[in-house]
Amino acid sequence: MGIEDASMRNGRALSDQWADSVVVRPRTTEQHITVNKRLVLGFAISILTLIIVTAIAITLSVSFERCAAESSGALAANGSSNSKWKQSRNTNISYRDSEDGQQPWRHLRLPATLRPRHYDLRLSVYMENFTFSGEVHIEFECVHSTKLIVLHTDRLEVDKVLVYSDSKKAGVMRIQRRFHYQPKQVYVIALHREMKPLRTYKINITFHAHIEHELLGFFRSSYVLNGERRFLAVTQFSPTHARKAFPCFDEPIYKATFRVSLKHESSYQSLSNMPVEASMSDEDGWVTNHFSRTPRMSTYYLAWAVCNFTYREAVTDSGVVIRLYARPDAIQSGSGDYALHITKRLLQFYQDYFKVKYSLPKLDLLAVPKHPYAAMENWGLSVFVEQKILLDPDVSSFSYQMELTMVVVHEICHQWFGDLVTPVWWEDVWLKEGFAHYFEYIGTDFLFPKWNMEKQRFLTDVLHEVMLLDGLASSHPISQEVFEATDIDRVFDWIAYKKGAALIRMLANVMGQPLFQRGLNDYLMTHMYGNAARDDLWNKFSEAMQREGKDINITQVMDRWTLQMGYPVVTISKNDSLDNSVTISQEHFVYDTDAKIQNPELFNKSFQWQIPLTLAVGNSSHISTETIIWVSNKTETHRVGHMGGETWLLGNINQTGYFRVNYDLHNWRLLIQQLMTNSTIISVGNRAGLIDDVFNLARAGYLPQNVPLQMISYLSQETEFLPWHAASRALYQLDKLLDRTEDHSLFSDYVLRQVEPKYHKLGWPATSPQGSFMQAAYQTEELQREVMMLACSFGNKHCHRQAVSLISDWISSNKNRIPPNVRDIVYCTGVSLMDEDVWEFIWMKFHSSTAISEKKVLLEALTCSDNIFLLNRLLNLSLTSDLVPDQDVIDVIIHVGRNPLGRHLAWRYFREKWDILNSRYGEALFMNSKLISGVTEFLNTEAELNELKEFILTSGGESAPAFARAVEIVQANVKWHILFQQQFYRWLRKAPDG
């Protein structure tokens, strides 16, 4: 039986069972024994006999191992990798039964018989041929008697294995056989005699492997400096790739300390989690760096790099040394200074907020040209892809700066949530990713209070976005069981990140900030250097509430939100009675209501939540103080404040809850009327929330299609960015549904009638007398940008002329005077309207630009062309050119698919190149899922749906969750056209011109 038992699956961690010291227990001193000469002689003869017998045994053992290795290859080949060997969760099964009866190397989880305490890892890195060799000494404790050592290896060639006993009879233990079992990526060592509980042992393994081109494990990358290609090697171990770099117990629960040594040519430098403790140079031009011992940590947070970067440095008030390493030219230009500056401030912020000190003496930020993710929070050595950490303020837009800021804030938060306290198992990965995503907004508000991220951008960028995904019938609970290794990558999706963040925000608002912070502090202090599960967090929050006399069982409340998929729609209706009562009901919100009929096994479950519904009553001049109602039943009746005929109800105040709110049609009309006459009575957050809810309720058939269109008619009076942002997101989604229909101009013209008054009022960014563009306040600048983007996207002629003029000026003068904050709009509009020469000009600028942010904007602009030949050329160039980073290749394909003229081209290209794309991004499942959903989300014809289904069958993608979601989304698109398209256009034909 593995580590995960039934109690763990339910979110209950082991009671800090691994939190004991890693120091080896001292052995009792051997008693001195007096011997006479005869005993000495007899003892000598015995030793000689033992040596002869041992020599014979070793000879036989070598032969046996060779046979075992051959047979193990057959065993691995014949073992059915398709069989789902589910690990037993029955705590009554003995460890011996688990080993002897079920062969523990066939399980997903390692057997719970051993636990590592310390790794001594020594590596020699050969950059000239991209290989490395290593030797690892692992000190471990035996928890239950066993003859087997089962640990992880993948793509490693094991050269030699020795096992030592630290018991009274110390010495080398005889190995009966050893073999690699590839289906589970484990290496098995069978000993001749049993290891005993509570004793410590050591294993020494020498090995060698390649530094991979694939961006996982220990991989290589390159960049060009002064015309010379230079190489570097760096690690990416999360979630299950440390085993590609060294033999280890590669599960989060197996925390240990690490001491790393790296040997390499002296022309390179090396980095790891801890500072260099000693450095030794050889006469042959090689250097060996010995790094200090780490705290207890999981294998996937170990990291190292070999590169020839330079760095900038800062030191916090508490003495933590922060260094940002990057290409020498990037460091020289100051591109890393911004990230270095905010990191210094963030370390202090998190220490103050959590009331827990940062644990290490240093923190390195490493900017690499290629990486499978935006960044990775390795403890003390966080790795970022260059686009997410290098900033050129002269050419970077505000949106680029904001995105970069939030990536840095996210990774620094992980030094506490993830590194210091690690989830027990991958089913609760949201415990670290949800917190880090939530604190992106809290931490950014600390850095830039005027951005108001948590109360505003969180709504559109997190809450609204994840509710689109979580409203699908193919969604899943935020805590999901992991049965196979392939399931581990799948838990890293937007449900874990964004829904996790939304639930944490909801809970923080229910508890109040002081109690929320107290609960977090207790959680971190109790489980530091250890592992925790969701119930550990809920218990600390409950204790914090109880100390203040608030008897709320957080576990009971939150289990409904974490163990059920989806979320509720709460419907609030006024009653006809005179007692000021309302009826409140809840049901599972699903876009495709037919799914409840098609999948009765899933939807026959009684989906109910304990909902903290905040409610206010308002009229044309006043809104009441909010009250909180806990809704636990399918339908409830509650009394509220006085309600007249013109009184409206508003639920989910400031959208702190993770649910949608629907009303009777009369209440919707009153709310729309309020927005038209005096929108400021309703908060900015709720104005954005009303827009998002009304569009999505109509999309799912809860409301007539004209209601959302009527609501946005107030936008010309809206002065705040957030409601415009919520509206633009909804309108772009609709536009992609409609842009290939005959009557599309009816929709685009209606949108322009709402947008143009505000567009003409705000205009374009102002210029100074010297001709440069002046910076505006954040909210003003973002609102102006949002309205400009809508105007240009939906065909405003003035916006088009202005963009063309700016592009023409750039080409003729070779001086780019376009404001950084609107360059993406101008570039895209110019490429779509102007001739092939402009496309070539932008392509040339992409090649020559050295600013990471500018290259990204230029590349995406090339996808806006209305020339199919150029779009096809771009797709082929992006996949084959080293100039385009892997993440940008995906973005190019997705953006071509968003272009109405390129949609079918991108879809066809995706299918033709699937084998190449899947081999490149297959293991980086997050990127693969992004690609699949991005290419398919706007397919909306019956023919495209059939092509998708056929492709999934022929490509073997039936089991991929991303494909299941894609089919559901395209089916919903097709269904919307059948059910609602005529109704939608019928209302637009009758809509008023104003």
Side-chain angles (χ1 to χ4, degrees):
M1 172 177 163
I3 289 177
E4 182 183 28
D5 59 17
S7 67
M8 278 191 183
R9 184 189 62 195
N10 294 328
R12 295 166 179 83
L14 305 178
S15 301
D16 206 18
Q17 67 163 350
W18 302 62
D20 55 334
S21 170
V22 296
V23 179
V24 181
R25 295 184 181 88
R27 295 191 294 272
T28 57
T29 307
E30 300 281 348
Q31 292 182 347
H32 293 282
I33 302 172
T34 305
V35 295
N36 57 30
K37 293 181 179 179
R38 185 175 299 173
L39 285 174
V40 171
L41 181 61
F43 184 68
I45 293 170
S46 299
I47 290 295
L48 183 60
T49 304
L50 182 61
I51 290 171
I52 295 169
V53 171
T54 301
I56 296 169
I58 290 173
T59 304
L60 292 173
S61 175
V62 170
S63 300
F64 184 85
E65 281 189 32
R66 286 173 182 164
C67 294
E70 291 172 8
S71 65
S72 69
L75 176 67
N78 295 328
S80 174
S81 59
N82 295 324
S83 300
K84 293 189 176 182
W85 289 89
K86 297 181 181 178
Q87 182 184 21
S88 171
R89 299 172 184 267
N90 186 347
T91 55
N92 295 321
I93 296 177
S94 73
Y95 292 95
R96 186 178 298 278
D97 289 340
S98 173
E99 281 193 7
D100 296 345
Q102 298 183 24
Q103 298 179 318
W105 56 83
R106 293 181 178 272
H107 298 173
L108 169 65
R109 302 290 298 275
L110 296 177
T113 50
L114 309 174
R115 61 180 179 186
R117 302 177 73 160
H118 177 70
Y119 293 77
D120 194 339
L121 178 60
R122 303 168 190 173
L123 297 174
S124 297
V125 181
Y126 308 100
M127 294 297 291
E128 73 278 4
N129 62 1
F130 303 119
T131 62
F132 67 100
S133 61
E135 182 175 9
V136 64
H137 299 262
I138 309 173
E139 178 187 304
F140 61 91
E141 181 179 355
C142 180
V143 180
H144 299 278
S145 298
T146 180
K147 291 182 179 180
L148 296 176
I149 301 172
V150 184
L151 72 172
H152 289 106
T153 65
D154 185 27
R155 305 184 191 178
L156 299 177
E157 292 293 331
V158 174
D159 301 318
K160 186 180 179 182
V161 178
L162 292 172
V163 181
Y164 300 90
S165 169
D166 262 5
S167 64
K168 293 181 181 179
K169 297 180 180 179
V172 178
M173 300 182 70
R174 180 177 156 196
I175 296 174
Q176 193 172 43
R177 66 169 179 149
R178 56 186 174 95
F179 60 90
H180 183 231
Y181 185 65
Q182 180 54 36
K184 299 301 180 187
Q185 299 178 350
V186 294
Y187 199 81
V188 182
I189 300 150
L191 301 174
H192 184 70
R193 62 183 173 88
E194 255 185 2
M195 294 177 286
K196 301 300 182 184
L198 303 180
R199 293 184 182 174
T200 56
Y201 298 84
K202 291 181 180 177
I203 183 170
N204 176 278
I205 304 175
T206 56
F207 57 94
H208 64 275
H210 290 281
I211 301 172
E212 299 284 353
H213 180 67
E214 182 188 14
L215 307 181
L216 295 169
F218 187 25
F219 68 91
R220 66 184 185 267
S221 183
S222 67
Y223 61 97
V224 176
L225 182 67
N226 300 324
E228 175 193 357
R229 182 163 294 280
R230 295 189 175 188
F231 291 91
L232 65 145
V234 67
T235 57
Q236 170 56 36
F237 290 162
S238 177
T240 57
H241 306 293
R243 63 194 69 176
K244 290 181 170 68
F246 66 106
C248 56
F249 296 83
D250 198 13
E251 292 180 9
I253 192 72
Y254 289 111
K255 285 198 167 186
T257 57
F258 297 81
R259 194 181 292 276
V260 176
S261 298
L262 293 171
K263 182 178 180 180
H264 49 80
E265 292 176 270
S266 58
S267 57
Y268 291 90
Q269 61 183 308
S270 54
L271 307 170
S272 191
N273 307 77
M274 299 295 287
V276 174
E277 191 174 59
S279 186
M280 302 174 62
S281 298
D282 297 342
E283 293 181 0
D284 57 359
W286 284 66
V287 65
T288 303
N289 284 331
H290 300 280
F291 296 89
S292 300
R293 186 177 181 132
T294 71
R296 292 181 74 239
M297 58 190 282
S298 300
T299 48
Y300 73 93
Y301 282 132
L302 190 67
W304 61 81
V306 176
C307 58
N308 41 29
F309 285 173
T310 53
Y311 66 87
R312 291 279 178 92
E313 181 179 287
V315 182
T316 68
D317 293 341
S318 58
V320 178
V321 178
I322 306 168
R323 288 180 176 177
L324 189 143
Y325 288 84
R327 292 177 285 110
D329 53 334
I331 292 295
Q332 186 175 1
S333 69
S335 296
D337 292 355
Y338 173 76
L340 185 66
H341 169 69
I342 64 172
T343 298
K344 179 180 176 180
R345 294 183 62 200
L346 285 167
L347 277 181
Q348 188 61 51
F349 164 73
Y350 283 126
Q351 288 186 145
D352 294 343
Y353 191 100
F354 299 141
K355 295 180 172 58
V356 178
K357 286 188 66 177
Y358 175 69
S359 303
L360 304 185
K362 64 95 172 175
L363 174 58
D364 293 336
L365 312 176
L366 179 65
V368 297
K370 289 189 176 185
H371 197 268
Y373 309 106
M376 178 60 205
E377 69 273 12
N378 309 306
W379 210 355
L381 177 57
S382 291
V383 181
F384 298 76
V385 70
E386 288 180 336
Q387 296 97 315
K388 304 301 181 183
I389 196 168
L390 300 182
L391 177 76
D392 186 335
D394 292 333
V395 297
S396 298
S397 66
F398 169 77
S399 58
Y400 185 90
Q401 179 190 359
M402 184 179 72
E403 182 182 1
L404 184 152
T405 301
M406 296 177 78
V407 171
V408 175
V409 175
H410 181 108
E411 301 310 321
I412 304 306
C413 179
H414 271 314
Q415 305 295 309
W416 284 264
F417 283 91
D419 296 352
L420 184 64
V421 179
T422 310
V424 169
W425 183 236
W426 300 110
E427 65 186 6
D428 278 334
V429 73
W430 71 270
L431 275 178
K432 71 185 187 76
E433 296 302 346
F435 269 105
H437 202 55
Y438 171 65
F439 275 99
E440 285 180 29
Y441 295 82
I442 303 298
T444 304
D445 273 346
F446 162 75
L447 295 171
F448 304 102
K450 291 183 180 179
W451 292 7
N452 208 7
M453 299 294 288
E454 188 269 333
K455 286 185 171 57
Q456 294 201 11
R457 285 301 282 258
F458 186 96
L459 303 184
T460 52
D461 298 1
V462 179
L463 184 65
H464 297 172
E465 185 163 324
V466 74
M467 289 177 95
L468 286 170
L469 185 63
D470 206 20
L472 298 175
S474 56
S475 187
H476 60 77
I478 191 172
S479 291
Q480 51 179 329
E481 294 184 27
V482 174
F483 295 114
E484 291 291 329
T486 51
D487 295 333
I488 294 173
D489 279 304
R490 291 174 185 162
V491 302
F492 288 85
D493 63 5
W494 280 146
I495 298 294
Y497 284 70
K498 292 182 181 289
K499 184 175 182 178
L503 295 183
I504 290 163
R505 177 174 177 266
M506 179 173 72
L507 187 55
N509 278 276
V510 168
M511 294 179 67
Q513 278 299 317
L515 291 183
F516 179 70
Q517 284 183 248
R518 185 182 302 170
L520 290 184
N521 173 258
D522 289 348
Y523 171 78
L524 290 170
M525 292 297 291
T526 301
H527 300 287
M528 59 168 54
Y529 306 111
N531 299 82
R534 58 183 176 273
D535 276 9
D536 297 310
L537 180 65
W538 304 151
N539 291 339
K540 292 301 178 185
F541 282 150
S542 293
E543 290 170 12
M545 297 282 280
Q546 288 161 6
R547 284 199 292 268
E548 293 295 315
K550 299 179 179 180
D551 191 18
I552 297 178
N553 188 319
I554 300 294
T555 303
Q556 286 184 3
V557 172
M558 295 308 295
D559 274 357
R560 298 287 186 95
W561 296 96
T562 59
L563 302 181
Q564 293 182 148
M565 63 178 274
Y567 56 87
V569 52
V570 176
T571 301
I572 306 172
S573 303
K574 294 181 189 176
N575 291 331
D576 294 332
S577 61
L578 300 177
D579 61 354
N580 293 321
S581 66
V582 295
T583 298
I584 302 173
S585 61
Q586 62 164 296
E587 67 173 293
H588 184 190
F589 177 89
V590 183
Y591 285 101
D592 184 6
T593 51
D594 288 346
K596 297 181 179 181
I597 303 169
Q598 297 163 358
N599 194 350
E601 288 186 11
L602 177 62
F603 290 100
N604 277 349
K605 294 179 180 178
S606 180
F607 280 90
Q608 279 182 246
W609 291 262
Q610 292 193 32
I611 304 169
L613 173 65
T614 48
L615 188 65
V617 179
N619 56 35
S620 59
S621 60
H622 173 74
I623 186 169
S624 69
T625 304
E626 67 185 75
T627 57
I628 185 166
I629 299 171
W630 282 93
V631 182
S632 303
N633 302 306
K634 287 284 187 183
T635 303
E636 300 180 3
T637 301
H638 292 270
R639 288 188 177 184
V640 297
H642 177 72
M643 293 186 297
E646 299 302 305
T647 303
W648 41 260
L649 296 161
L650 183 66
N652 197 12
I653 305 304
N654 295 320
Q655 284 216 294
T656 56
Y658 186 70
F659 47 88
R660 297 198 184 281
V661 182
N662 194 12
Y663 309 93
D664 56 73
L665 282 176
H666 180 65
N667 199 77
W668 277 114
R669 291 191 189 102
L670 290 174
L671 288 169
I672 292 171
Q673 183 180 336
Q674 183 66 57
L675 292 173
M676 295 291 293
T677 55
N678 183 7
S679 64
T680 57
I681 292 289
I682 299 172
S683 72
V684 174
N686 273 119
R687 299 203 298 268
L690 284 169
I691 291 169
D692 185 68
D693 276 348
V694 77
F695 271 96
N696 284 282
L697 289 166
R699 174 74 189 270
Y702 287 86
L703 288 174
Q705 299 302 305
N706 63 297
V707 179
L709 295 173
Q710 287 175 312
M711 180 170 283
I712 63 167
S713 62
Y714 99 95
L715 280 176
S716 59
Q717 304 168 46
E718 179 59 73
T719 59
E720 296 287 344
F721 158 74
L722 192 70
W724 275 99
H725 190 47
S728 69
R729 290 167 60 90
L731 291 169
Y732 289 134
Q733 290 281 335
L734 261 179
D735 187 53
K736 299 310 175 190
L737 265 182
L738 298 167
D739 60 13
R740 293 183 291 175
T741 60
E742 289 183 9
D743 293 325
H744 176 249
S745 60
L746 281 173
F747 174 64
S748 58
D749 290 346
Y750 181 80
V751 173
L752 280 177
R753 289 201 296 273
Q754 317 314 315
V755 171
E756 284 174 338
K758 182 64 68 175
Y759 168 75
H760 290 303
K761 183 176 182 179
L762 293 174
W764 280 62
T767 56
S768 67
Q770 290 76 32
S772 61
F773 285 87
M774 296 185 296
Q775 290 288 106
Y778 157 68
Q779 295 288 353
T780 304
E781 195 166 299
E782 283 299 276
L783 174 60
Q784 184 181 54
R785 169 186 161 77
E786 198 74 49
V787 173
M788 280 178 56
M789 187 179 293
L790 281 165
C792 276
S793 297
F794 282 91
N796 177 272
K797 300 301 181 186
H798 178 273
C799 193
H800 286 180
R801 287 195 298 271
Q802 188 76 359
V804 168
S805 172
L806 286 168
I807 292 282
S808 300
D809 175 70
W810 182 19
I811 293 172
S812 61
S813 67
N814 202 29
K815 184 175 182 180
N816 191 345
R817 300 185 179 92
I818 303 168
N821 205 40
V822 297
R823 283 186 179 181
D824 57 339
I825 303 171
V826 173
Y827 293 175
C828 181
T829 305
V831 167
S832 68
L833 296 173
M834 302 171 80
D835 58 22
E836 187 175 336
D837 289 342
V838 173
W839 194 94
E840 295 289 354
F841 175 80
I842 298 291
W843 176 249
M844 178 191 70
K845 290 297 182 182
F846 168 74
H847 274 270
S848 60
S849 176
T850 57
I852 298 293
S853 58
E854 179 74 352
K855 289 181 79 72
K856 185 174 179 64
V857 175
L858 289 163
L859 186 63
E860 290 181 1
L862 293 168
T863 69
C864 300
S865 174
D866 61 357
N867 186 317
I868 292 294
F869 168 77
L870 292 175
L871 292 176
N872 195 52
R873 178 182 162 197
L874 177 63
L875 288 169
N876 288 314
L877 285 170
S878 65
L879 194 59
T880 58
S881 171
D882 284 342
L883 290 170
V884 182
D886 283 0
Q887 287 191 326
D888 287 344
V889 172
I890 291 175
D891 288 340
V892 165
I893 299 172
I894 291 172
H895 278 78
V896 169
R898 289 176 180 169
N899 181 336
L901 294 171
R903 187 160 308 148
H904 206 72
L905 174 66
W907 170 226
R908 190 185 73 226
Y909 185 84
F910 169 83
R911 285 175 288 160
E912 290 174 354
K913 304 296 184 183
W914 170 248
D915 288 341
I916 298 172
L917 293 166
N918 194 40
S919 64
R920 181 180 291 192
Y921 306 120
E923 282 206 68
L925 201 70
F926 195 85
M927 293 172 72
N928 217 19
S929 297
K930 178 184 176 183
L931 175 62
I932 292 167
S933 61
V935 169
T936 60
E937 64 180 324
F938 298 124
L939 302 178
N940 55 42
T941 68
E942 195 76 48
E944 289 168 340
L945 175 60
N946 291 332
E947 287 173 351
L948 174 60
K949 290 178 177 178
E950 183 181 348
F951 171 72
I952 293 171
L953 285 174
T954 56
S955 66
E958 301 98 318
S959 62
F963 277 127
R965 288 193 296 271
V967 169
E968 185 180 352
I969 290 169
V970 178
Q971 283 176 333
N973 292 345
V974 173
K975 181 180 174 182
W976 187 90
H977 278 286
I978 295 169
L979 294 180
F980 302 124
Q981 181 185 316
Q982 289 186 359
Q983 177 193 140
F984 185 85
Y985 280 134
R986 191 161 50 244
W987 186 88
L988 282 174
R989 289 189 183 94
K990 299 177 182 178
D993 292 337

